[in-house]
Amino acid sequence: METNKRIILRRQKKKRAARLKFYGILGVLVLFILSIWVRSFVMRGDYSEVYPPVSDPMTRIDSMDQLNEKTREALLLFLEVAEDEGLPVLVTETYRTQERQEYLYSLGRTAEGGIVTWTTESEHTKRSAFDIAKNVRGEEYSDLEFFRKAAEIGERIGLEAGYYWDHGRQDMPHFQMNWYDRIVYPEGYEKED
């Protein structure tokens, strides 16, 4: 009789543990989905009142004013550190409309030209990425050492550098500020108010 009670109690305990594990996993999943949902409001949203209007959706935009606040702050720090380290950086593109992103994706696939991008879901369209070039005529994209040093600076301050991407997706001029990352100010640098 006593043995049966122990067996029943052990089974109940196992069921309770399994139930707790299930609800714990479910809770983590709900929090993850909720964080993605919140991000959609924070990083996307309706920008018509916050950002200058874009007259031609196919135009290449290089204005910092078109980036979200966090990415703009990271870009300003990036440019300051790069200048102090002797890198002549030119920002070539910031925000990109979805129409332009889809056009760039079509190059080398359904439209004439070389492949420019590997995705239609770019961080450029979320106002959280920018591209650079070396600000020296004739050397804009050919100086691999320039892009390596720029990538090191970007990573040091909290940007994700496309220079380090692999599997055929390396994008040396590309930098993005992921929503979950934070900007890191190196010693001697501080946030401007």
Side-chain angles (χ1 to χ4, degrees):
M1 190 78 160
E2 189 65 33
T3 309
N4 286 342
K5 275 188 170 180
R6 280 190 204 146
I7 293 172
I8 291 171
L9 288 174
R10 201 174 319 133
R11 285 181 185 162
Q12 287 175 341
K13 191 175 181 180
K14 282 183 179 181
K15 283 182 181 179
R16 220 175 302 134
R19 209 175 301 125
L20 282 173
K21 185 176 181 180
F22 170 76
Y23 286 125
I25 292 170
L26 183 64
V28 168
L29 184 61
V30 166
L31 286 174
F32 177 73
I33 291 169
L34 185 63
S35 73
I36 291 172
W37 181 71
V38 168
R39 178 182 183 245
S40 70
F41 288 107
V42 173
M43 298 297 278
R44 292 183 185 171
D46 177 15
Y47 298 115
S48 59
E49 293 182 34
V50 179
Y51 299 100
V54 175
S55 57
D56 179 4
M58 297 303 286
T59 301
R60 184 184 55 79
I61 299 167
D62 60 6
S63 171
M64 280 189 251
D65 294 338
Q66 292 287 351
L67 294 172
N68 66 50
E69 187 177 329
K70 184 177 176 184
T71 306
R72 186 172 38 250
E73 179 186 338
L75 174 54
L76 288 169
L77 177 60
F78 174 80
L79 292 172
E80 185 179 355
V81 174
E83 181 180 352
D84 290 349
E85 295 190 15
L87 290 183
V89 173
L90 173 68
V91 177
T92 59
E93 191 158 21
T94 56
Y95 170 63
R96 191 180 288 159
T97 64
Q98 189 61 44
E99 293 91 341
R100 178 166 167 76
Q101 184 65 33
E102 289 170 8
Y103 165 73
L104 292 175
Y105 182 79
S106 74
L107 293 175
R109 293 179 177 87
T110 58
E112 294 238 358
I115 291 178
V116 175
T117 183
W118 53 270
T119 184
T120 57
E121 300 293 323
S122 173
E123 291 297 312
H124 285 281
T125 63
K126 299 170 192 160
R127 300 178 188 270
S128 57
F130 60 90
D131 292 338
I132 66 165
K134 184 175 182 180
N135 197 8
V136 175
R137 186 175 293 286
E139 297 180 26
E140 291 85 354
Y141 298 101
S142 62
D143 186 347
L144 301 181
E145 185 64 12
F146 165 82
F147 286 105
R148 184 190 62 75
K149 289 178 181 176
E152 287 175 358
I153 293 169
E155 291 277 313
R156 199 167 55 210
I157 67 168
L159 289 164
E160 182 178 338
Y163 177 90
Y164 297 115
W165 295 346
D166 55 6
H167 306 296
R169 294 186 172 166
Q170 184 184 44
D171 189 354
M172 292 190 300
H174 182 88
F175 293 84
Q176 63 189 44
M177 187 75 233
N178 294 314
W179 66 276
Y180 49 81
D181 286 332
R182 65 182 186 85
I183 301 169
V184 178
Y185 282 81
E187 188 175 325
Y189 295 89
E190 50 188 60
K191 183 176 180 177
E192 295 177 18
D193 293 324

